[in-house]
Amino acid sequence: MLAFLKKWSVFLVLALGASASAYSAPKTVLVVGDSLSAEYGIARGAGWVALLEQKLKAEKIQARVVNASISGETTSGGRARLPALLGQHRPDIVVIELGANDGLRGLPVASADANLRAMVAMAKEKKAEVLLVGMRMPPNYGRAYTEKFFGMFKQVSTDTRSPLVPFMLEGVADKPALFQQDRLHPLAAAHPIILSNIWPAFASLIRKQ
């Protein structure tokens, strides 16, 4: 009986150790975005994605962050690139920050909607969690278009059961001093604010992993 108990104790220790190791295994985060995530016009390492990596280290969360963002990217471009990125990096979490360029070009909201849904489906098929990052259009695009565009992110989030950051530029968009001369791209000083908008939803996801 004593021998049995010793063997059982060893088994439990090994099993719990394996479980803890699996839980603490580093996660891979894939960010698929546009210039707002690609550090356009600012120093390397100053954007919100780089700040996210620093935040994860400070929180002692083991994670590798892959920034696959490209300036000028649209939802159709992201949709085309995503399969290869999923295969290459095998992410646990995919952050989709796309749509701004679709909106600025006045592209049909229905097309962006379909592309985002396809990207979410691709990621979830590979067992990755998805975080959607929403955007608003300037009022000069007209109320009907801007409201439909903004509402698209919420609808995709609801239908696909994916968490959403409603507006990544909350607390930034109404402050001209936080933008570069083009009035489209935030300065480095704005990126900690952007991260503060994204972090709560992101933290909930990665802590579930």
Side-chain angles (χ1 to χ4, degrees):
M1 183 65 176
L2 183 59
F4 171 78
L5 289 175
K6 285 182 177 179
K7 288 181 180 179
W8 181 245
S9 297
V10 171
F11 171 77
L12 281 177
V13 168
L14 291 174
L16 289 172
S19 177
S21 175
Y23 179 77
S24 61
K27 306 302 178 183
T28 298
V29 179
L30 174 65
V31 180
V32 185
D34 50 37
S35 56
L36 296 173
S37 299
E39 299 184 326
Y40 178 90
I42 60 175
R44 300 302 89 177
W48 76 265
V49 180
L51 297 178
L52 171 65
E53 195 162 20
Q54 295 174 26
K55 176 77 169 174
L56 288 168
K57 289 178 181 177
E59 296 284 331
K60 301 188 185 307
I61 298 173
Q62 296 187 58
R64 178 175 70 102
V65 180
V66 178
N67 191 354
S69 303
I70 298 177
S71 293
E73 186 72 290
T74 60
T75 56
S76 61
R79 178 178 182 174
R81 289 195 300 126
L82 187 58
L85 291 170
L86 292 172
Q88 179 182 355
H89 300 291
R90 301 182 182 278
D92 299 283
I93 295 175
V94 177
V95 180
I96 302 176
E97 181 276 297
L98 288 172
N101 288 310
D102 297 64
L104 291 173
R105 296 175 188 180
L107 299 177
V109 173
S111 296
D113 181 289
N115 290 330
L116 290 175
R117 290 174 188 271
M119 292 181 73
V120 172
M122 289 177 200
K124 292 193 173 186
E125 185 178 352
K126 298 298 183 181
K127 310 303 181 185
E129 297 284 349
V130 177
L131 175 62
L132 292 168
V133 180
M135 179 55 60
R136 286 184 181 273
M137 285 294 102
N140 58 298
Y141 278 73
R143 182 173 179 179
Y145 185 83
T146 56
E147 289 186 355
K148 187 175 182 181
F149 179 85
F150 182 64
M152 167 188 70
F153 294 98
K154 177 62 176 176
Q155 196 60 57
V156 173
S157 168
T158 299
D159 292 348
T160 64
R161 297 183 179 181
S162 304
L164 169 70
V165 177
F167 182 35
M168 73 180 296
L169 296 182
E170 189 70 45
V172 174
D174 59 345
K175 296 178 175 62
L178 289 176
F179 284 84
Q180 299 174 41
Q181 289 185 351
D182 62 10
R183 298 183 181 181
L184 290 174
H185 297 95
L187 294 166
H191 282 262
I193 302 173
I194 294 173
L195 177 59
S196 71
N197 292 333
I198 293 171
W199 175 254
F202 177 85
S204 295
L205 271 186
I206 200 159
R207 284 173 175 152
K208 288 196 311 182
Q209 293 289 312

